[in-house]
Amino acid sequence: MLGKEKVSLGHVRLSSVKLMHSLKVCDNMKLGFPNFNFNVSHHGDYVAIASEPICLVGLDIVSHSIPVNETADKFIYSFSSYFSSLEWHHIFNAGSSDDMLKVFFRYWSLKEAFVKALGTGVGYKLDDVEFHHKNWENIFVKVAGEVLKDWKFWLLELGQNHSVSIARGHPGTAITNFTKTLKQTEFDDKEYDLGLHLPNTSFKFVRVEDLVQLWHSSQSISIVSRKPHVSDDDEMSETISSIH
């Protein structure tokens, strides 16, 4: 379930939610979690996190909003150097201004997810990164005209005004500083294919107030674990009780 809720905590006004995107490892998978990595994104009313055990992961959320007193055409055109001619064709032929913005932000979130997975950021030559799709399904990317077959992408809509993109790619393509943090960057075809096609689970929606309660529970657990003269069995029993 996806959604949002506003919670007032003292003088702090929070309107974000956390969306946890988890992955189920196949039962017959022997590789374990050699490259556990995660990616976080927030924009508008949402915060999200995605994780992967083998592949690189990139995540980006965009709110379909533009600066006040700026037209959609002017706003979109200011990003002209970041899109290919094909992508621009799809953007400007989408229909109304709202339709153009929606297509623009979808492409933008896909590009952001890709470069975040690589570890490069938007300094990457984004006009060389060209996304292809069939009604925003079966998404793939070409970089400098070459299809990257060892990458997969997903695009989802959050409510009426947010898009989120997820990228999953080969660890060997990350920048050097990133690959240094990974345990394994080389896989045979069978191993990597297994990691690339791991089944996804749904986003889990968590409200701000749930996160606050979880934080308080973690503080309670840490206090219990420091109590003196408690046997391991008793301590585990008290910890479970505090969680529930």
Side-chain angles (χ1 to χ4, degrees):
M1 180 175 65
L2 301 174
K4 62 183 178 180
E5 180 166 328
K6 295 184 178 180
V7 180
S8 181
L9 299 175
H11 297 291
V12 181
R13 187 74 174 175
L14 300 176
S15 60
S16 298
V17 300
K18 182 176 180 181
L19 300 173
M20 301 181 68
H21 179 69
S22 60
L23 289 165
K24 179 182 178 182
V25 180
C26 296
D27 294 337
N28 64 347
M29 186 173 181
K30 298 179 180 179
L31 292 175
F33 296 80
N35 294 330
F36 178 78
N37 65 115
F38 65 91
N39 207 253
V40 178
S41 180
H42 63 89
H43 198 206
D45 296 319
Y46 293 91
V47 178
I49 183 170
S51 63
E52 286 285 344
I54 295 173
C55 299
L56 302 175
V57 61
L59 172 73
D60 190 66
I61 291 179
V62 289
S63 170
H64 304 172
S65 58
I66 61 176
V68 179
N69 299 324
E70 187 167 8
T71 64
D73 289 358
K74 183 178 180 181
F75 173 77
I76 292 172
Y77 190 74
S78 66
F79 291 86
S80 60
S81 62
Y82 297 109
F83 294 89
S84 71
S85 57
L86 178 65
E87 290 169 337
W88 274 122
H89 173 77
H90 290 315
I91 292 169
F92 281 106
N93 288 278
S96 66
S97 295
D98 288 342
D99 292 333
M100 288 170 56
L101 279 172
K102 181 177 291 186
V103 175
F104 165 82
F105 281 119
R106 285 174 173 175
Y107 276 124
W108 183 258
S109 69
L110 284 166
K111 288 173 183 276
E112 283 266 23
F114 175 63
V115 296
K116 287 177 70 178
L118 292 172
T120 61
V122 292
Y124 200 93
K125 197 172 186 302
L126 289 181
D127 56 326
D128 274 352
V129 179
E130 184 177 83
F131 280 92
H132 297 252
H133 61 87
K134 293 181 179 179
N135 295 320
W136 302 103
E137 300 285 344
N138 302 315
I139 302 169
F140 66 93
V141 67
K142 288 184 178 180
V143 176
E146 181 179 351
V147 177
L148 300 189
K149 296 180 180 179
D150 50 2
W151 283 76
K152 289 178 70 67
F153 300 89
W154 296 266
L155 186 139
L156 306 169
E157 298 301 316
L158 305 181
Q160 298 294 317
N161 203 38
H162 294 74
S163 298
V164 57
S165 294
I166 306 164
R168 183 190 287 173
H170 199 290
T173 58
I175 62 172
T176 303
N177 287 341
F178 191 3
T179 55
K180 290 179 179 178
T181 69
L182 304 174
K183 292 182 178 180
Q184 187 174 349
T185 58
E186 295 183 6
F187 300 87
D188 62 36
D189 291 342
K190 185 177 180 179
E191 288 176 336
Y192 183 68
D193 188 66
L194 183 60
L196 185 63
H197 294 93
L198 282 174
N200 287 327
T201 61
S202 301
F203 275 109
K204 179 181 179 182
F205 164 64
V206 183
R207 299 170 299 178
V208 172
E209 62 183 24
D210 296 328
L211 297 178
V212 173
Q213 291 174 3
L214 183 62
W215 181 82
H216 283 301
S217 295
S218 68
Q219 299 303 301
S220 175
I221 292 172
S222 65
I223 292 173
V224 170
S225 65
R226 290 196 296 269
K227 287 179 66 177
H229 310 302
V230 179
S231 68
D232 291 342
D233 290 340
D234 290 339
E235 182 174 344
M236 178 61 72
S237 176
E238 290 191 49
T239 301
I240 293 173
S241 296
S242 66
I243 292 174
H244 293 290

